[in-house]
Amino acid sequence: MKKISLYCDGSSLGNPGNGGWCAILRYEQHERVISGGEKNVTNNQMELKAVIEALKILKEPCDITLYSDSQYVCNGINAWLQNWIQKNFKNVKNPHLWQDYLKLAQSHQIKAHWVKGHAGHAENERCDTIARLEASKLKG
């Protein structure tokens, strides 16, 4: 399996409000940056959307080390998801996004690592800047 580093962040100007997301995927010396935005979303939705959109572009099963400043995303992936599945996502926020994540993640090995936001982590800062830019592009 290819070893991929995935850095991601989401932003919401208002909660809910205009949101943006960004992901940086790295494999060996190759890097791909993807980003986007949506209206009337929460920060957590954009954090998770960054992961989902990154997984969509992978063409084969990969060993992914994910870096995020979102404890919601990291704990969801590493600890909470199995329990949520067992209770059929009852009382879980954003179940449709988590179900999208599950479908896309099933062929990969994914381990999430939390990084402190706004603390000088280069890729996290870059993702944050791009996600905020995407959110600010949206009008209304």
Side-chain angles (χ1 to χ4, degrees):
M1 290 182 120
K2 290 181 178 175
K3 293 191 180 299
I4 304 290
S5 295
L6 169 57
Y7 306 91
C8 49
D9 199 12
S11 178
S12 178
L13 307 176
N15 210 15
N18 291 341
W21 58 268
C22 176
I24 300 171
L25 295 104
R26 283 207 186 125
Y27 170 67
E28 294 179 346
Q29 303 305 316
H30 305 281
E31 178 180 280
R32 182 160 176 195
V33 179
I34 60 172
S35 62
E38 295 180 27
K39 290 185 175 192
N40 197 34
V41 293
T42 66
N43 185 61
N44 282 343
Q45 288 169 331
M46 292 293 91
E47 297 276 3
L48 189 50
K49 185 77 168 183
V51 177
I52 290 167
E53 294 302 322
L55 294 178
K56 283 181 182 178
I57 67 173
L58 297 175
K59 296 177 174 39
E60 63 188 82
C62 297
D63 180 2
I64 302 167
T65 304
L66 184 153
Y67 300 91
S68 173
D69 65 4
S70 170
Q71 292 197 18
Y72 171 71
V73 166
C74 292
N75 288 331
I77 291 170
N78 292 337
W80 302 334
L81 204 45
Q82 287 309 105
N83 185 45
W84 291 345
I85 293 166
Q86 289 175 353
K87 65 179 193 173
N88 202 28
F89 293 91
K90 186 176 181 185
N91 299 321
V92 173
K93 291 184 178 179
N94 309 308
H96 61 291
L97 289 173
W98 283 108
Q99 289 164 344
D100 288 348
Y101 166 81
L102 279 172
K103 286 179 204 151
L104 293 164
Q106 63 187 353
S107 65
H108 305 290
Q109 294 176 3
I110 302 174
K111 180 67 177 168
H113 296 276
W114 179 79
V115 296
K116 185 175 172 98
H118 311 286
H121 186 281
E123 291 84 1
N124 180 258
E125 297 288 347
R126 191 167 156 207
C127 283
D128 179 69
T129 298
I130 294 169
R132 287 177 183 274
L133 179 63
E134 290 287 354
S136 70
K137 288 181 189 176
L138 300 171
K139 303 288 184 220

